[in-house]
Amino acid sequence: MKLRVCIVGGSGHYGYVLESLSDEFDIVAVSPGVVGENLAPLLSKFKQACMDPRLYEDYRQMLKSERPDVVVINTHFYMNGKILLQALQMGIHAFVEKPIATNLEDLHQIEKIYSEVKDKVFFAAMFGLRYKPWFLTAKNLVDSNAVGEIRLIHAQKSYKLGERPEFFRKRETFGGTLAWVGIHAIDWIHWISNKRFVSVYGLHSRMANKNHGELEATGACLFELEQEVIATLTVDYLRPPGAETHDDDRLRIVGTEGILEVRDQSVLLTDEDGTRVVQNQEQGYIFKDFLNHVLGRGRCMVTAEQSIYATYIALKAREAADERRIVTL
Amino acid sequence: MKLRVCIVGGSGHYGYVLESLSDEFDIVAVSPGVVGENLAPLLSKFKQACMDPRLYEDYRQMLKSERPDVVVINTHFYMNGKILLQALQMGIHAFVEKPIATNLEDLHQIEKIYSEVKDKVFFAAMFGLRYKPWFLTAKNLVDSNAVGEIRLIHAQKSYKLGERPEFFRKRETFGGTLAWVGIHAIDWIHWISNKRFVSVYGLHSRMANKNHGELEATGACLFELEQEVIATLTVDYLRPPGAETHDDDRLRIVGTEGILEVRDQSVLLTDEDGTRVVQNQEQGYIFKDFLNHVLGRGRCMVTAEQSIYATYIALKAREAADERRIVTL
């Protein structure tokens, strides 16, 4: 029996679903998550793929009528958490955009409801970058003790800004750059080091955001993790339009026995044998991994607990930057 | 008439002097800066170069007897500032190890005395890394507006630890890793951006320092600069012994029109035309530049004011990390 999937919104990473189309699931229906959301790009992709899901005007109506097995949530960011909460309450598995909430109140409610339903319902945030060959390779190297004990981490997120939709320009609807972009780096740090965060200090600035209202063009955090592990993170939307790729993701992990770096889609390892490029693993597929979990065939590499935790840290990092103070975690 | 140069100590970067030997100066005498300082490597270099400066047991005696034009100060770090102070009081130009003091009291005294004698006496800290081809190239690119307005900076210092002398293992005599190593990155940030620091938060840790007592093996800072410019810095002594070079210096400068990176002794520029390696300028020579200043032939690229300022910021960064608080600058 095929899984029945609904999609709410077309403002995030629904591409993770479209890259994993298979005969294990049908996309039965789609709706906006907020009134007036632009679904044109998503609907055009459906057309190209000769798919014709039902179109609802209201996601609540859709979820009630369709009672899908899975809902994919990627609408304007401030609504993702509120819709996730309803999905969990209805017992529907959810594949949800990160951050899974843009304020702590929504996050706490999600955490509470999830703790009550977690034996029956699963959800995971769209931390699809983990599945890139270079990050999988980095994770496996660290797990196989290639750098010894981790002591210092630096993570970089750099994006082209281009022209973003209107809802990116309001903190209320966008959530902030540390929460939307920085969260990936927060997830890498926690996922790869397996360490918990102790405190965070942050800064961000809206200057040079090319008329993007409240969107922060730059930001940085300094984290303390367990065992005095130190981590820094920078985010920027200043990658020049002429750059070869949209993003410039980097990660440097300094351990007692070696230093590992992700840059230019490669992994470099420096240890007693010098520096070398490590052969990349194969690309993974987050939605396939998510579905396997839902189908009881394995554990998704992104857990609901990690999705909650990374969101919590990202929102606290934003709070630190907003209030210019060290926030204890 | 040749300038007469004395050297106090052999525990720092006297190499900058030896790389710039010329017929413009004579090294007339040398002494330890503290009792028992190991001068063997320095004396062996003199022997190789067929030089035979007088050897004093006490630097005060040497400065009084020789009345040199210039003193090069690079003894155990905690003494450099105290000796600089005496040199300034005696009207002797000084080429001094960075940080120019390891505590704020010494620094304030230096600042005070210097303000009184600066029309007659000059000093500069050993920020010789500025003269590396890649940093000169980066500086010139920024000055010629290659990245537009700077918004975000990340700097990295990574060193092999090896086996350090005993005085590195005590905060009192070493000064701390942010002050000894991090100061270079602080200097790059200020020198290249031409911005002043507004605040600093820092962390550092002694864990994994391979029996080096109080020496911090890792550290990081998050700075706010004028106009909401954000800068991060990491330092570590965990570069593996097998790495090709002793250090792994990096600098990433994100501007409104481009992103510039120093890494692997090269400069990469990303702008509207994509990413490319920029041809490196020629190596510069800090001691030669210093002597030209003393001889009235030009201005040294490292000023006394910058030497004071970078030391101040480094000591405040250490204070932030020691006390785990945000320090206003």
Side-chain angles (χ1 to χ4, degrees):
Chain A
M1 204 191 70
K2 282 188 175 189
L3 288 176
R4 301 179 67 256
V5 175
C6 284
I7 298 183
V8 179
S11 301
H13 294 90
Y14 57 76
Y16 290 132
V17 178
L18 301 185
E19 75 181 5
S20 289
L21 293 177
S22 77
D23 54 13
E24 309 219 274
F25 70 95
D26 277 324
I27 300 173
V28 296
V30 59
S31 79
V34 296
V35 174
E37 182 175 9
N38 176 16
L39 292 187
L42 172 60
L43 297 178
S44 136
K45 293 254 167 59
F46 282 140
K47 204 166 175 185
Q48 279 168 37
C50 298
M51 291 163 69
D52 191 22
R54 280 176 289 284
L55 183 59
Y56 286 80
E57 277 188 22
D58 186 288
Y59 72 89
R60 284 157 295 215
Q61 185 74 50
M62 175 174 72
L63 297 182
K64 265 186 226 156
S65 306
E66 300 286 346
R67 304 296 308 189
D69 301 296
V70 168
V71 59
V72 175
I73 305 168
N74 72 135
T75 183
H76 292 188
F77 310 153
Y78 73 105
M79 280 300 293
N80 290 323
K82 300 179 199 303
I83 299 170
L84 170 62
L85 194 64
Q86 294 169 60
L88 294 176
Q89 286 166 328
M90 295 173 78
I92 303 170
H93 305 293
F95 181 56
V96 58
E97 189 57 84
K98 35 44 61 180
I100 65 164
T102 55
N103 64 64
L104 288 172
E105 298 67 39
D106 287 355
L107 184 65
H108 288 149
Q109 283 210 58
I110 291 164
E111 197 173 7
K112 182 170 171 292
I113 296 292
Y114 179 68
S115 73
E116 294 165 10
V117 301
K118 67 180 175 184
D119 294 336
K120 297 173 306 221
V121 192
F122 180 65
F123 79 90
M126 294 184 184
F127 288 129
L129 294 180
R130 287 194 193 181
Y131 294 77
K132 295 280 186 189
W134 36 97
F135 285 111
L136 290 176
T137 305
K139 170 67 170 163
N140 271 3
L141 280 169
V142 168
D143 285 352
S144 63
N145 207 32
V147 301
E149 187 194 321
I150 294 174
R151 300 301 316 149
L152 183 72
I153 303 174
H154 176 66
Q156 172 187 305
K157 292 291 301 175
S158 179
Y159 283 170
K160 293 182 185 176
L161 180 56
E163 197 63 38
R164 300 279 167 163
E166 202 52 37
F167 77 91
F168 273 68
R169 298 164 200 232
K170 287 271 175 210
R171 165 65 71 86
E172 187 64 27
T173 49
F174 171 56
T177 299
L178 283 173
W180 173 241
V181 182
I183 193 170
H184 282 296
I186 289 168
D187 179 59
W188 302 334
I189 293 168
H190 176 60
W191 169 55
I192 294 189
S193 75
N194 214 16
K195 295 261 186 298
R196 292 186 69 87
F197 295 86
V198 173
S199 70
V200 58
Y201 174 59
L203 290 170
H204 51 194
S205 169
R206 289 168 178 162
M207 286 177 69
N209 73 3
K210 302 189 177 94
N211 293 314
H212 276 72
E214 296 172 357
L215 175 142
E216 298 91 0
T218 56
C221 296
L222 175 46
F223 298 101
E224 182 179 353
L225 284 82
E226 296 172 300
Q227 279 125 22
E228 296 183 19
V229 172
I230 299 168
T232 49
L233 168 172
T234 67
V235 294
D236 70 79
Y237 266 120
L238 295 173
R239 187 155 166 80
E244 204 184 338
T245 55
H246 168 64
D247 57 12
D248 185 7
D249 286 345
R250 304 216 201 155
L251 185 63
R252 178 172 179 261
I253 298 176
V254 178
T256 51
E257 308 299 326
I259 296 179
L260 177 158
E261 277 184 87
V262 174
R263 74 181 199 216
D264 299 328
Q265 312 193 336
S266 289
V267 178
L268 287 159
L269 179 65
T270 301
D271 61 13
E272 56 187 6
D273 300 323
T275 300
R276 63 205 172 276
V277 175
V278 180
Q279 167 91 48
N280 269 336
Q281 288 185 229
E282 299 227 325
Q283 165 87 38
Y285 296 94
I286 186 171
F287 190 64
K288 195 174 156 192
D289 195 27
F290 170 86
L291 284 187
N292 278 337
H293 188 115
V294 166
L295 291 165
R297 295 185 195 144
R299 275 186 65 75
C300 184
M301 191 166 69
V302 179
T303 69
E305 288 76 11
Q306 290 167 345
S307 305
I308 292 169
Y309 188 60
T311 298
Y312 171 72
I313 301 299
L315 296 180
K316 286 296 197 177
R318 184 185 72 185
E319 180 181 319
D322 281 345
E323 301 177 8
R324 289 161 185 261
R325 63 183 185 85
I326 302 159
V327 172
T328 303
L329 300 169
Chain B
M1 205 193 68
K2 282 188 175 187
L3 289 176
R4 302 178 67 256
V5 174
C6 285
I7 298 183
V8 179
S11 302
H13 295 90
Y14 57 77
Y16 290 132
V17 179
L18 301 185
E19 75 182 5
S20 288
L21 294 178
S22 76
D23 53 13
E24 307 218 277
F25 70 96
D26 276 325
I27 300 173
V28 295
V30 58
S31 79
V34 296
V35 175
E37 182 174 9
N38 177 18
L39 292 188
L42 172 60
L43 297 178
S44 134
K45 294 254 165 60
F46 283 140
K47 205 166 173 184
Q48 280 168 37
C50 299
M51 292 163 67
D52 191 23
R54 282 177 287 284
L55 184 59
Y56 287 80
E57 277 188 21
D58 186 287
Y59 72 89
R60 284 158 295 213
Q61 186 74 51
M62 175 174 72
L63 297 182
K64 266 186 226 157
S65 306
E66 300 286 346
R67 304 296 306 187
D69 302 295
V70 167
V71 60
V72 176
I73 305 168
N74 71 137
T75 183
H76 291 188
F77 310 153
Y78 73 106
M79 281 300 293
N80 290 322
K82 300 179 199 303
I83 299 170
L84 171 61
L85 193 64
Q86 295 169 59
L88 294 176
Q89 286 167 329
M90 296 173 75
I92 303 169
H93 305 293
F95 181 56
V96 59
E97 190 56 85
K98 32 49 58 179
I100 65 164
T102 54
N103 64 64
L104 288 172
E105 297 69 38
D106 287 355
L107 184 65
H108 289 147
Q109 284 210 60
I110 291 164
E111 197 172 9
K112 181 170 171 293
I113 297 292
Y114 179 68
S115 73
E116 295 164 10
V117 301
K118 67 180 175 183
D119 293 336
K120 298 174 305 223
V121 192
F122 180 64
F123 78 91
M126 295 184 184
F127 289 129
L129 294 180
R130 287 194 194 182
Y131 294 76
K132 295 281 187 190
W134 36 97
F135 285 113
L136 289 175
T137 306
K139 171 66 171 163
N140 272 2
L141 281 169
V142 168
D143 285 352
S144 63
N145 206 33
V147 302
E149 186 195 322
I150 294 176
R151 300 301 315 149
L152 183 71
I153 303 175
H154 176 66
Q156 172 187 305
K157 292 290 302 174
S158 179
Y159 282 171
K160 293 181 186 178
L161 180 57
E163 196 65 36
R164 301 278 166 162
E166 201 53 35
F167 76 91
F168 273 69
R169 298 163 201 234
K170 287 271 174 211
R171 165 64 71 86
E172 188 64 26
T173 49
F174 171 57
T177 298
L178 284 173
W180 173 242
V181 183
I183 192 170
H184 282 295
I186 288 167
D187 179 57
W188 302 334
I189 293 168
H190 177 59
W191 170 55
I192 294 189
S193 75
N194 214 15
K195 295 260 186 301
R196 296 191 61 92
F197 295 86
V198 173
S199 70
V200 58
Y201 174 59
L203 290 170
H204 50 193
S205 169
R206 290 169 178 161
M207 286 177 70
N209 73 2
K210 302 190 178 94
N211 293 312
H212 276 72
E214 296 172 357
L215 176 143
E216 299 90 0
T218 56
C221 296
L222 175 46
F223 298 100
E224 182 178 353
L225 283 83
E226 295 171 301
Q227 279 125 21
E228 297 183 18
V229 172
I230 298 169
T232 49
L233 168 173
T234 67
V235 294
D236 70 78
Y237 266 120
L238 295 174
R239 186 154 166 81
E244 204 184 338
T245 55
H246 168 65
D247 55 11
D248 185 7
D249 285 346
R250 305 215 200 155
L251 185 63
R252 177 173 181 261
I253 298 176
V254 178
T256 51
E257 307 300 326
I259 297 178
L260 178 158
E261 278 183 88
V262 174
R263 73 182 201 216
D264 299 328
Q265 313 195 335
S266 289
V267 178
L268 287 159
L269 179 65
T270 302
D271 60 14
E272 56 186 7
D273 300 321
T275 301
R276 60 204 174 278
V277 175
V278 180
Q279 168 91 47
N280 269 336
Q281 287 187 227
E282 299 226 326
Q283 165 87 38
Y285 296 94
I286 185 171
F287 190 64
K288 196 174 156 191
D289 195 26
F290 170 86
L291 284 187
N292 278 337
H293 187 115
V294 166
L295 290 164
R297 295 187 195 144
R299 277 187 63 76
C300 184
M301 191 167 69
V302 179
T303 69
E305 288 76 11
Q306 290 166 345
S307 304
I308 292 169
Y309 189 58
T311 298
Y312 171 71
I313 302 299
L315 296 181
K316 285 296 198 177
R318 184 185 71 185
E319 181 181 319
D322 280 344
E323 301 178 6
R324 288 162 186 260
R325 62 185 186 84
I326 302 158
V327 173
T328 302
L329 300 169

